[in-house]
Amino acid sequence: MQVGGALVWCAFLLGCVFAQRTPEVNLTVVGDANMYDLFKMNRPPPVVDGCKGDTSINWLLNMPVTMSSTQSSSTPGSLVTDDDLNLNKYAETRSTFNPWIRIDMGVRRRVGKLIFLFPVTAADNGLQVYVGDSENVTTDGTDNPLCNTIRTAARPWTAVFCSPALNGRYIVLRLAGPFKTIKLCEVNAFAVCSLTSGCPNVALGRPTYHSSQCCGGLPNRAVDGKVSTSWSSGSCTHTRTQTNPWWYVDMQQRRVVDKVLVTNRADCCWTRLNGMEVWVGTNK
C-alpha cells in the first residue's frame, strides 16, 4: 500500500509499554505529491532492468501501442501513453471476444507497479495485466507472465502491483470473455525497488521531533543513517515514560511513501515497540 504525505509519525498508544525508545526510521519513496500526480513524469531513462534510484520515471510515455481493434478514429491506442489526463479522451476497443492492448517499452524493463486512469464509463473489472517478452497476437499476450488482475477498479485511477516484479519488453492488457470492451485513458509503469537497490532514503537527515526526551536520546538519531541495534552506539532515540509518546520526521515536501523500515534495539527492551503505529500525512 502507498500513502501520500510530508510527515511520518510513530506513536505508542495507551496500553503499550511507555518506557519507549523511538526507532530508527528509513523511507523509500516512489513518487511525488500524490498518486494522481504520478502521471506527470518524464521520458524513460536509459537504464534497462532494475532500479537506479528513481522510481518516479514512467517508462510508457509516448511508447507505441497496438490494440486488438479500435472503436473509432477518435479512440486510438496512442491515447494511453500520451500523458493526457483528460477523462473524456481514451483509447477504446470494439466489443469483441478477449480484447487486448499491448504497449511496447522498446527494451526489457523490470516492472513492479502500474497506474491506470479509467474513464467513468469504463467496465474494466477483470482486466488482466501481463508483462513479458512475447508479442504473439494469437495468444492475446497470455503467454507472458500474469502481473495481476484488476478485480474492482477505483475511479479515476487504479494502482496495480506485480509481486514479484516482472521482466519484459511488453505490457499486455486483456479483458477475457465475449462482448468485452476496453476503455482506458492512461497507463503508466514504474519500477518498485528497495533501499538496497539504490532508492533514496528521504527521511535521512530531515527535521525530527518527539513528545519528550530521555537519556540523551535525541530524535534526529533515528534518521542519521546508522542502523546499529545497540543503545551504546549513540544512534537510538528515547522518550520519557509517558502516555501516548510519539516521534515524527518532516520530509519537507509531500511524498508517496511505499515503505518504512524500522530498526529496533537488539541489546534489550525490543518489546517496547510492540503496538507502535505509523502514520503518513500532512498534519503535524
Side-chain angles (χ1 to χ4, degrees):
M1 181 181 72
Q2 297 177 317
V3 184
L7 305 174
V8 175
W9 284 75
C10 296
F12 308 85
L13 301 183
L14 189 62
C16 302
V17 180
F18 294 129
Q20 301 291 359
R21 167 264 187 190
T22 311
E24 290 280 343
V25 177
N26 294 296
L27 303 180
T28 299
V29 172
V30 294
D32 292 323
N34 54 53
M35 292 193 71
Y36 193 75
D37 288 341
L38 285 173
F39 287 101
K40 294 297 187 182
M41 302 302 171
N42 299 316
R43 285 188 173 276
V47 176
V48 179
D49 286 331
C51 171
K52 298 300 180 183
D54 191 350
T55 56
S56 65
I57 299 297
N58 169 28
W59 288 333
L60 304 188
L61 184 60
N62 295 327
M63 292 292 116
V65 181
T66 305
M67 301 200 301
S68 55
S69 62
T70 305
Q71 178 62 31
S72 71
S73 59
S74 63
T75 60
S78 59
L79 293 178
V80 304
T81 60
D82 65 355
D83 198 35
D84 189 336
L85 306 187
N86 186 340
L87 295 179
N88 295 315
K89 294 177 64 177
Y90 51 84
E92 182 179 9
T93 68
R94 295 175 184 171
S95 178
T96 60
F97 184 74
N98 295 347
W100 53 265
I101 296 176
R102 185 181 69 239
I103 305 169
D104 183 356
M105 293 184 285
V107 295
R108 299 184 81 242
R109 303 282 189 183
R110 186 166 179 79
V111 177
K113 176 185 61 181
L114 298 100
I115 298 180
F116 296 85
L117 183 67
F118 292 104
V120 176
T121 58
D124 44 70
N125 292 348
L127 186 69
Q128 299 166 329
V129 182
Y130 297 87
V131 179
D133 295 313
S134 175
E135 56 176 334
N136 188 350
V137 296
T138 62
T139 63
D140 303 332
T142 57
D143 51 344
N144 289 310
L146 178 66
C147 162
N148 215 323
T149 300
I150 300 177
R151 303 297 181 185
T152 303
R155 293 292 185 274
W157 52 262
T158 295
V160 171
F161 290 86
C162 302
S163 184
L166 296 175
N167 294 316
R169 173 175 172 173
Y170 301 99
I171 293 175
V172 180
L173 314 174
R174 177 179 180 263
L175 199 55
F179 308 109
K180 298 289 186 178
T181 301
I182 299 177
K183 293 183 180 181
L184 183 59
C185 297
E186 196 76 18
V187 59
N188 288 182
F190 307 90
V192 170
C193 56
S194 65
L195 291 172
T196 58
S197 61
C199 290
N201 171 17
V202 297
L204 185 64
R206 302 293 184 181
T208 54
Y209 308 87
H210 55 192
S211 54
S212 62
Q213 184 172 305
C214 177
C215 314
L218 297 171
N220 62 355
R221 289 182 173 186
V223 293
D224 61 5
K226 302 175 184 178
V227 291
S228 172
T229 59
S230 173
W231 173 257
S232 62
S233 68
S235 185
C236 298
T237 69
H238 204 309
T239 68
R240 297 175 183 172
T241 299
Q242 64 180 110
T243 299
N244 298 342
W246 52 261
W247 171 98
Y248 79 83
V249 57
D250 184 352
M251 295 180 289
Q252 299 181 300
Q253 61 178 300
R254 286 175 56 90
R255 302 280 191 174
V256 175
V257 176
D258 179 60
K259 189 178 300 181
V260 178
L261 303 180
V262 179
T263 302
N264 199 356
R265 284 182 64 176
D267 53 351
C268 82
C269 320
W270 47 85
T271 58
R272 292 176 178 176
L273 295 191
N274 290 352
M276 185 183 74
E277 297 183 352
V278 180
W279 287 279
V280 179
T282 57
N283 188 355
K284 294 184 178 181

